[in-house]
Amino acid sequence: MNILLTGATGFVGSRLADLLLHRTSHQLTSAVRRHGSVVCGQEILVDGLTRDTDWSKALLGQEVVIHAAARAHVMSDQSSDPIEEYRKVNVEGTLNLARQSVESGVKRFVYISSIKVNGEQTASGRPFTERDALAPSDPYGVSKMEAEEGLMELARNTKLEVVIVRPPLVYGPGAKGNFASMLNLVKRQLPLPLGSVNNKRSLVALDNLVDLIITCVEHPAAANQVFLVSDGHDVSTTELLRAVARAMGKSSRLLPIPADVLMIGAAVLGKKAVAQRLLGSLQVDISKARDLLDWEPPLSLEEGLFKAVERHVD
């Protein structure tokens, strides 16, 4: 099968490209902005992801497009209209690629979205499902939702099969952002006031996410479906920190401060959003992928964490 991959130089895309090239028989072409961006495989130059990008050469002969490129979270965004900046890439750029995919005869379009389309928080014991009403709360999530809506409209009116995958926090070797910060704190064995957090959060190991994406490329039943993905094992922030410490061979130093006290302190310091990610719950139900695709995460949480922390172990 001939596959075009966007975002092949990113955290998810680079691992996906590696597994597609070395563990499947698919023929992969990576769309890049400069030659030499990927380690191996065929590359084709594409001038960005905009409403005007010409994808005709990249799409020639392709059967599947995996669209992992996006304008992701921009810290301290200085643009005057952030939502419009996200829309230019994540909505207009995505739908331009999808429309040209239809014109080129592409059969399936696999879109890597985000759980932020569902929202930022779940009630205890009530994980997000694919049937839930969408409730994004930031410009990134809104842009991902609008792209999903446009893609599904295109699927209804053309022969293009659309598959949407919504991951929560993705962790693995080379992960950046909040996960990398957490690893550094645990490695330094600093005392953390997070020993009594009883929330539940879903995460997904990079290899588990990539495995589901490849399944969505290949499985007939994935056509025109949305799938949530995780490791299938939800943990509290306290449990996660302890598991990371075990994977590193370190001792966890967690102080049992009540979560409501931490939330009050965070609000006073103007860090309520940060505290919500640490103290709130965000769970996803992966029953649909299990039942419809007969898919199971190949890595356990512990196995995924061991792979993620390898470069952090002394």
Side-chain angles (χ1 to χ4, degrees):
M1 188 179 297
N2 295 329
I3 299 174
L4 175 69
L5 171 65
T6 73
T9 60
F11 176 55
V12 174
S14 58
R15 182 58 173 160
L16 178 56
D18 179 56
L19 293 187
L20 284 169
L21 284 166
H22 296 108
R23 299 190 188 178
T24 75
S25 60
H26 302 308
Q27 301 300 307
L28 179 67
T29 300
S30 297
V32 298
R33 299 186 70 171
R34 61 182 182 275
H35 281 308
S37 299
V38 296
V39 175
C40 55
Q42 183 176 343
E43 298 177 341
I44 189 162
L45 289 177
V46 176
D47 187 20
L49 180 62
T50 73
R51 65 187 304 175
D52 301 316
T53 301
D54 181 359
W55 291 91
S56 56
K57 291 182 180 179
L59 289 167
L60 188 63
Q62 304 296 343
E63 299 168 84
V64 173
V65 171
I66 305 176
H67 186 37
R71 186 178 197 265
H73 310 291
V74 178
M75 302 304 292
S76 302
D77 196 335
Q78 300 299 313
S79 60
S80 59
D81 194 351
I83 183 61
E84 288 307 315
E85 294 303 313
Y86 279 104
R87 281 173 171 148
K88 287 177 184 177
V89 176
N90 295 349
V91 183
E92 296 172 15
T94 295
L95 297 183
N96 174 48
L97 171 57
R99 293 186 190 105
Q100 291 187 49
S101 296
V102 172
E103 295 168 1
S104 297
V106 170
K107 297 177 182 178
R108 182 168 289 190
F109 193 100
V110 181
Y111 180 57
I112 314 307
S113 186
S114 169
I115 198 60
K116 282 180 169 288
V117 168
N118 286 77
E120 297 287 344
Q121 186 175 0
T122 54
S124 179
R126 297 187 61 184
F128 284 133
T129 74
E130 295 84 354
R131 301 181 301 276
D132 291 333
L134 305 184
S137 63
D138 66 4
Y140 173 74
V142 170
S143 70
K144 285 291 193 176
M145 178 191 71
E146 292 176 354
E148 285 190 18
E149 292 172 342
L151 289 171
M152 285 305 193
E153 179 69 19
L154 196 62
R156 286 190 291 270
N157 294 305
T158 71
K159 294 182 179 180
L160 183 68
E161 297 175 351
V162 169
V163 188
I164 293 168
V165 178
R166 294 184 196 146
L169 186 148
V170 184
Y171 67 94
K176 298 180 180 179
N178 292 331
F179 187 78
S181 298
M182 179 187 68
L183 295 188
N184 288 328
L185 289 172
V186 173
K187 183 177 181 179
R188 294 165 63 189
Q189 295 187 285
L190 296 175
L192 300 173
L194 298 169
S196 295
V197 182
N198 296 313
N199 61 345
K200 287 294 181 182
R201 298 194 73 87
S202 299
L203 300 87
V204 63
L206 178 59
D207 280 1
N208 285 343
L209 172 59
V210 167
D211 189 79
L212 179 63
I213 293 170
I214 294 174
T215 300
C216 288
V217 167
E218 300 170 340
H219 203 299
N224 302 323
Q225 299 292 333
V226 176
F227 297 101
L228 306 188
V229 58
S230 79
D231 292 337
H233 180 176
D234 300 342
V235 291
S236 68
T237 299
T238 300
E239 292 168 335
L240 177 61
L241 289 166
R242 288 174 177 159
V244 168
R246 286 195 301 272
M248 287 184 171
K250 302 285 187 181
S251 299
S252 57
R253 302 182 66 189
L254 304 178
L255 307 178
I257 308 300
D260 54 352
V261 173
L262 294 175
M263 186 62 78
I264 293 170
V268 171
L269 296 172
K271 300 292 184 180
K272 190 174 182 178
V274 174
Q276 183 56 60
R277 288 193 291 271
L278 289 171
L279 308 177
S281 293
L282 196 161
Q283 295 177 269
V284 305
D285 184 342
I286 63 171
S287 297
K288 182 176 178 180
R290 282 173 159 154
D291 296 341
L292 190 61
L293 305 180
D294 195 26
W295 179 81
E296 285 291 333
L299 295 183
S300 68
L301 174 72
E302 290 76 13
E303 291 168 333
L305 288 175
F306 271 110
K307 292 189 70 171
V309 306
E310 283 178 339
R311 67 182 61 180
H312 291 265
V313 177
D314 294 330

